[in-house]
Amino acid sequence: MEKIKMITPLVEMDGDEMTRVLWDWIKEILIKPFVELKTEYYDLGLVNRDLTDDKVTVESAIANKKYGVAVKCATITPNAQRMTEYNLKSMYKSPNGTIRAMLDGTVFRAPILVDGITPYIPTWKKPIVIARHAYGDIYKAVDGTAGKGKAELVYTDRDGNKTQKTVFDFEGDGIVLAMHNTDKSIESFARACFNYALDMKLPLWFSTKDTISKVYDGKFKEIFARIYENEYKEKFESANIEYMYTLIDDVVARIVRSEGGIVWACKNYDGDVMSDMVATAYGSLAMMTSVLVSPDGVYEYEAAHGTVTRHYYKYIKGEETSTNPVATIFAWSGALKKRGEMDNLPDLVDFAERLEKATIKTIEEGEMTGDLVGLFKKEGVTPKKLTSREFLQAIAKRI
């Protein structure tokens, strides 16, 4: 069989631990036998990020801008324990945060639905798509420790005029944090959400806590309202879909009672937390797609979960693991599909769609990784637990 040819390379961002192992297996078993894979490779594994003082992360984001489509493996964001484990020179920032800031994009995360896996919230019949603002907030924050004294927020304008506010008068030790956002990034986020909702023909709900954060969250609310009224209201009415703003605690209650079929726009931290909650409620963190979309049409596909550390340490001891690779498979298929669309390669688009269908069919016919076995209930089908490689091989047979 002649392999499908590519014109433009994908930007390939390799990662860490068990997902790095799965990354190689997915290419070996599911992609390279069918596609003449063309990538520009960047190793974002923690060891190489340390060797390059994290310059490789910046280089990968620049390449993503150049070529338009990237696929990224899960990576480690180091904490104090990782500093010791990997003997790092620095506690590097999240590579996802760096790439998101450079692309000024919005992250859209949606569950992969499978017949036989019922969400923990049984009313959820349709996908709930989390739209996560991918800039600023605590991910670009400045923080530090404080002792007895006064913490202040100071803003100096271009003419040297200062505005000064007291954050807190400390009587003892404590901590402080300052974060920011920009109107430009919030406007890009709003337009991305409105456009995505229109493309998917789904209602858009946006939530913050502007009753508490009257200026910061209030700015998000105001920008969304202005752009909706000026640019999208008529389009939404024509499409017979709604845009709604309300407080985040109200949206959480509404989401739990809903049947799904909603785009839920969240600020950066809210989206990080809620996407994991939604993914777990649908069945598994490994069954969640994630794509970062920039305002100028640059795409970066990734899995929404972490590096599966516990399974990795079993793997390096020579033990078999049953790690779920579905979200990482869908990162590759999403990137290949988008690359095919951009380069007018229908065979590549068709392959990506067949790969996704084969993955879902494998599970629906009863072959799956261990995390799904306890969730799977389908009349006439007895679920069978496979190792990660066996699962990938079972998918390959169905492509």
Side-chain angles (χ1 to χ4, degrees):
M1 182 183 74
E2 187 177 352
K3 292 184 181 181
I4 299 164
K5 290 182 170 55
M6 296 177 63
I7 298 170
T8 310
L10 288 176
V11 177
E12 179 184 352
M13 304 174 183
D14 210 343
D16 287 295
E17 298 188 319
M18 198 63 212
T19 46
R20 187 182 181 99
V21 176
L22 295 174
W23 193 261
D24 287 338
W25 290 350
I26 289 167
K27 288 191 292 181
E28 171 201 340
I29 298 169
L30 297 181
I31 299 173
K32 287 186 176 180
F34 308 96
V35 178
E36 203 169 280
L37 187 61
K38 193 173 184 180
T39 73
E40 185 164 307
Y41 179 85
Y42 294 86
D43 184 358
L44 268 57
L46 192 50
V47 171
N48 193 50
R49 284 165 51 213
D50 190 52
L51 287 172
T52 64
D53 298 317
D54 211 22
K55 290 184 177 67
V56 67
T57 303
V58 174
E59 291 167 356
S60 72
I62 292 169
N64 196 172
K65 287 184 175 182
K66 176 182 176 181
Y67 291 110
V69 185
V71 58
K72 181 183 173 296
C73 184
T75 47
I76 293 169
T77 299
N79 55 14
Q81 182 261 320
R82 295 292 202 175
M83 286 280 292
T84 303
E85 181 183 354
Y86 282 85
N87 193 26
L88 300 176
K89 291 180 282 186
S90 176
M91 194 180 293
Y92 302 104
K93 293 184 177 180
S94 161
N96 287 347
T98 299
I99 295 164
R100 289 166 188 160
M102 290 182 67
L103 268 60
D104 188 23
T106 296
V107 178
F108 294 95
R109 291 181 171 175
I112 300 162
L113 302 186
V114 174
D115 183 22
I117 298 177
T118 302
Y120 287 105
I121 300 176
T123 57
W124 288 1
K125 307 296 184 185
K126 303 173 186 176
I128 294 168
V129 181
I130 300 290
R132 174 185 173 188
H133 188 207
Y135 177 80
D137 295 352
I138 65 171
Y139 300 88
K140 296 290 285 184
V142 176
D143 59 0
T145 57
K148 187 173 183 178
K150 183 187 291 186
E152 296 178 309
L153 180 65
V154 180
Y155 166 70
T156 306
D157 68 19
R158 289 174 184 264
D159 298 323
N161 301 309
K162 290 187 177 181
T163 304
Q164 196 163 327
K165 295 181 178 180
T166 298
V167 176
F168 191 70
D169 281 313
F170 285 91
E171 293 298 327
D173 291 344
I175 48 177
V176 291
L177 177 145
M179 63 186 193
H180 78 282
N181 229 294
T182 68
D183 285 13
K184 179 178 180 292
S185 183
I186 300 167
E187 288 165 359
S188 296
F189 172 47
R191 290 189 177 96
C193 292
F194 289 129
N195 287 332
Y196 188 92
L198 284 169
D199 288 344
M200 301 300 292
K201 294 182 172 54
L202 292 174
L204 174 66
W205 295 355
F206 177 45
S207 61
T208 71
K209 194 72 171 177
D210 69 289
T211 51
I212 302 300
S213 180
K214 291 179 170 57
V215 175
Y216 194 98
D217 283 17
K219 174 63 76 170
F220 277 82
K221 177 184 177 182
E222 180 270 319
I223 287 174
F224 263 73
R226 169 170 50 80
I227 290 176
Y228 176 71
E229 289 294 328
N230 294 340
E231 301 176 31
Y232 290 95
K233 185 175 182 179
E234 290 183 4
K235 295 175 183 176
F236 268 58
E237 288 174 350
S238 296
N240 197 30
I241 55 176
E242 71 165 348
Y243 165 64
M244 178 185 71
Y245 171 82
T246 187
L247 297 175
I248 189 166
D249 38 351
D250 181 42
V251 169
V252 169
R254 289 172 181 264
I255 286 288
V256 170
R257 294 194 302 266
S258 78
E259 66 171 9
I262 298 155
V263 180
W264 179 9
C266 296
K267 289 167 56 199
N268 206 348
Y269 178 77
D270 297 341
D272 190 5
V273 175
M274 295 304 172
S275 63
D276 282 356
M277 182 274 289
V278 167
T280 303
Y282 273 103
S284 172
L285 282 170
M287 300 289 285
M288 193 83 162
T289 65
S290 181
V291 56
L292 175 70
V293 184
S294 79
D296 52 352
V298 173
Y299 296 80
E300 183 246 289
Y301 294 81
E302 60 180 334
H305 57 73
T307 57
V308 202
T309 305
R310 183 172 58 85
H311 283 199
Y312 177 65
Y313 282 104
K314 289 178 66 177
Y315 168 78
I316 59 178
K317 290 177 185 175
E319 299 176 28
E320 292 281 9
T321 71
S322 186
T323 316
N324 190 333
V326 170
T328 306
I329 294 169
F330 271 67
W332 274 102
S333 64
L336 290 168
K337 189 188 302 182
K338 181 56 66 177
R339 187 75 272 163
E341 290 170 355
M342 286 184 168
D343 292 347
N344 193 25
L345 297 173
D347 286 349
L348 189 60
V349 174
D350 177 68
F351 168 76
E353 291 174 347
R354 284 189 287 119
L355 175 55
E356 291 179 357
K357 289 175 183 175
T359 302
I360 291 170
K361 187 177 182 182
T362 301
I363 299 169
E364 291 181 342
E365 292 181 351
E367 296 184 282
M368 62 199 71
T369 49
D371 60 316
L372 300 180
V373 170
L375 304 173
F376 187 86
K377 291 179 178 60
K378 188 176 180 183
E379 190 174 347
V381 181
T382 302
K384 178 184 177 184
K385 178 182 174 180
L386 303 179
T387 66
S388 300
R389 277 193 71 91
E390 289 171 342
F391 179 61
L392 295 173
Q393 289 160 349
I395 295 169
K397 293 175 184 176
R398 292 173 169 88
I399 294 176

